[in-house]
Amino acid sequence: PSPSLSSSPSHPKPCRTIGSTHNRMLLSIVAFFIVASGRAGTSDGMSADAITELLNTNAGTTWVGGEDLANGAEKPRKKQEDALRLYHVNETCNDGSPAGFYIRYGDPERWVVFMQGGGWCYDLESCATRKREALHLTSSSNWANSMPAKQKGLLSRNCAENPGFCNATHVYLRYCSSDGWSGSTDEETLPGFRFRGARIIDATFEALIDDHGLQPQGSSLLYSGCSAGGRGAMFNFDRVRAKYVPNAFGLFDSGWWLTIPPLSTANGSLPLVQQAQIGYTLFNASLDATCVASQEEAQGWRCFFAPLALPYVEGVSLSQVFQYDKFQLGRDTADSKPPYSHDVAQFAEHFRAAMLESFKSVLNESEAHNSSSIVGAISPHTSRASLFSPACYDHCSIETSRYSKTALSSPSFHVSSSLNENSSMNAGSPVPTTLATLLAHWFDRNLNATRERMKLKGVGKEGVGISEIDFPAPITEQPVVMVDVCESFNCSRNC
């Protein structure tokens, strides 16, 4: 497997309680919802006892042996510390070699599917460079037959590091389509390059159901990815829920692109907007159908950008967004790295302000839809989108140890979902502040709500299937919105 796309910053920066521009702007555009109780508008956080109970419950579960497969499936389970093994699927990478995924069996009712990131290419030059410098992202010809048993982050078997999913069945979907998991081309659209990311996803889920024990009516799924994988998970999430696993929840890490003009293009890279415009046609991109339908003719490329696309996602999701996203800041500043010059430092703060402003599209349901603005897209589904946003210079943490270490530095606020005059803000409540702990709590709350709905609908009784739940329209807990308002660059804890 390829190395992580990002490296950990050298050290965290101290933070100050903020009372300046960032704070006023954040509190004017962001509602902070913490889902630790079933009552909207309460100030109850997730207590230390509740977190401990959650950790102990997961840590005490072991999934070993063929008896763990439901419905009499014959494929034996591997021991939970086994390496992840490679399986190929009936779809192809850029070069025509078979696409595939790695799997390690665990709880047959709790699955994690993680989609690898790794940018994309969009013309002859960028694709030739990609093939030359990152062959593993265009072909399976040099993939290993297994991934090591010891993984970090979301695929870790360490329940202290990965409290919600340490014992799940883990699937690592390798990226070799170079299209942000969006492509659906029949033939090559560049010499030696076909783009079939969306088709690879379909082939993978068909294989998981047919051959590996994923149960459409019995399994719960965390459908996740980072960077290009995070955007791809977002684009394909509603289709995956509708066709394969209705009881699925999305985790989108570092897939939040902005449309702001770059400070410099001296590194020769086209601005992301132009890349998206080219890629939309080149890939025959399969993006969220509702989002694309909302755009003017030939403007579907805009749905590559999360601030516009996410409000149209009907499933329940949680996005991790780093306010100083390392990938886009690098692209937009000709690959500059900290410590920054004065001009680049100013641009970094402009970038953070634009990032915070872009959250409006997901969080502020009272604004009118404005189809001419990436930031103005509001839809009825925004209440299903949760957000965790550290003020870190980082990118893609969920397959690293930072998944369980990076935390918010600023006080947490609780505001009722209606944003009415009686909404209260309360600082200092005991809330989960790392993504790992928050994710475990958020997933189980929503999973239990969905199961309750299944029970009310009689799913499982004779003649009543999961389709009776009226997906996609799950009952959900209040959205979780946690945005760090610390004042300085890279100022969240353990960035």
Side-chain angles (χ1 to χ4, degrees), residues 456-472:
L456 292 173
K457 288 283 187 178
V459 173
K461 296 180 180 178
E462 185 175 355
V464 181
I466 202 165
S467 62
E468 301 297 322
I469 308 175
D470 189 29
F471 283 104

Side-chain angles (χ1 to χ4, degrees), residues 166-477:
C166 55
N167 289 309
T169 293
H170 295 154
V171 178
Y172 188 100
L173 186 45
R174 286 295 298 261
Y175 182 37
C176 64
S177 59
S178 305
D179 54 10
W181 296 99
S182 70
S184 186
T185 61
D186 291 323
E187 305 295 337
E188 293 181 356
T189 52
L190 288 176
F193 275 79
R194 63 203 70 183
F195 299 94
R196 294 183 174 175
R199 294 184 179 188
I200 291 171
I201 291 169
D202 286 337
T204 296
F205 276 97
E206 289 165 5
L208 292 175
I209 291 170
D210 292 344
D211 301 323
H212 297 276
L214 179 62
Q215 307 164 59
Q217 294 195 26
S219 299
S220 60
L221 169 67
L222 181 66
Y223 182 52
S224 63
C226 81
S227 193
R231 293 196 311 281
M234 185 185 304
F235 307 150
N236 293 282
F237 181 38
D238 282 341
R239 190 180 81 259
V240 166
R241 292 176 60 249
K243 291 182 65 175
Y244 304 113
V245 190
N247 205 12
F249 304 90
L251 173 62
F252 314 138
D253 180 14
S254 302
W256 200 279
W257 279 0
L258 299 177
T259 57
I260 61 174
L263 177 67
S264 172
T265 57
N267 57 359
S269 178
L270 286 178
L272 292 177
V273 167
Q274 291 178 250
Q275 294 183 26
Q277 291 170 333
I278 296 169
Y280 183 67
T281 300
L282 180 68
F283 308 149
N284 188 28
S286 177
L287 303 180
D288 185 274
T290 309
C291 179
V292 172
S294 72
Q295 302 305 302
E296 297 177 1
E297 187 176 359
Q299 296 295 304
W301 61 267
R302 291 158 57 87
C303 296
F304 275 122
F305 292 85
L308 180 67
L310 187 56
Y312 291 97
V313 173
E314 296 182 344
V316 180
S317 67
L318 171 61
S319 294
Q320 175 168 248
V321 184
F322 292 109
Q323 293 169 31
Y324 300 98
D325 183 82
K326 183 188 295 187
F327 169 79
Q328 189 169 358
L329 263 180
R331 285 295 182 98
D332 287 354
T333 60
D335 300 321
S336 296
K337 294 178 175 59
Y340 289 139
S341 67
H342 176 72
D343 287 348
V344 176
Q346 280 192 321
F347 181 83
E349 295 307 315
H350 165 67
F351 181 92
R352 183 190 188 190
M355 188 70 82
L356 299 176
E357 176 73 10
S358 76
F359 296 161
K360 277 185 178 181
S361 65
V362 177
L363 307 178
N364 188 351
E365 297 179 66
S366 64
E367 286 207 359
H369 175 77
N370 176 2
S371 62
S372 66
S373 170
I374 288 287
V375 171
I378 309 301
S379 89
H381 308 308
T382 53
S383 63
R384 299 174 189 165
S386 294
L387 180 68
F388 181 79
S389 181
C392 288
Y393 173 70
D394 203 347
H395 187 75
C396 276
S397 75
I398 63 174
E399 54 179 329
T400 75
S401 60
R402 300 190 304 284
Y403 162 68
S404 59
K405 294 179 180 179
T406 300
L408 305 189
S409 298
S410 58
S412 298
F413 294 90
H414 311 255
V415 185
S416 74
S417 60
S418 61
L419 297 179
N420 59 35
E421 294 180 358
N422 296 322
S423 298
S424 60
M425 291 186 178
N426 303 282
S429 296
V431 296
T433 55
T434 68
L435 179 61
T437 307
L438 171 64
L439 179 65
H441 184 60
W442 169 87
F443 183 89
D444 283 329
R445 297 286 296 198
N446 283 289
L447 179 60
N448 290 338
T450 301
R451 285 174 173 168
E452 185 63 26
R453 185 171 189 176
M454 293 169 65
K455 182 179 178 181
L456 292 173
K457 288 283 187 178
V459 173
K461 296 180 180 178
E462 185 175 355
V464 181
I466 202 165
S467 62
E468 301 297 322
I469 308 175
D470 189 29
F471 283 104
I475 292 177
T476 67
E477 294 294 317

Side-chain angles (χ1 to χ4, degrees), residues 96-170:
S97 60
F101 60 87
Y102 293 84
I103 186 169
R104 169 170 55 196
Y105 300 102
D107 184 343
E109 296 183 356
R110 195 175 185 93
W111 288 64
V112 174
V113 171
F114 174 85
M115 302 203 337
Q116 184 185 22
W120 63 12
C121 63
Y122 50 86
D123 58 18
L124 280 171
E125 182 179 358
S126 62
C127 288
T129 299
R130 185 178 181 87
K131 184 175 182 178
R132 182 176 64 252
E133 298 182 358
L135 179 64
H136 62 281
L137 293 176
T138 68
S139 172
S140 64
S141 61
N142 63 352
W143 291 357
N145 289 325
S146 65
M147 292 174 60
K150 187 175 180 58
Q151 295 291 317
K152 296 180 179 180
L154 192 57
L155 301 184
S156 172
R157 286 296 192 205
N158 182 335
C159 292
E161 177 181 345
N162 187 22
F165 303 95
C166 55
N167 289 309
T169 293
H170 295 154

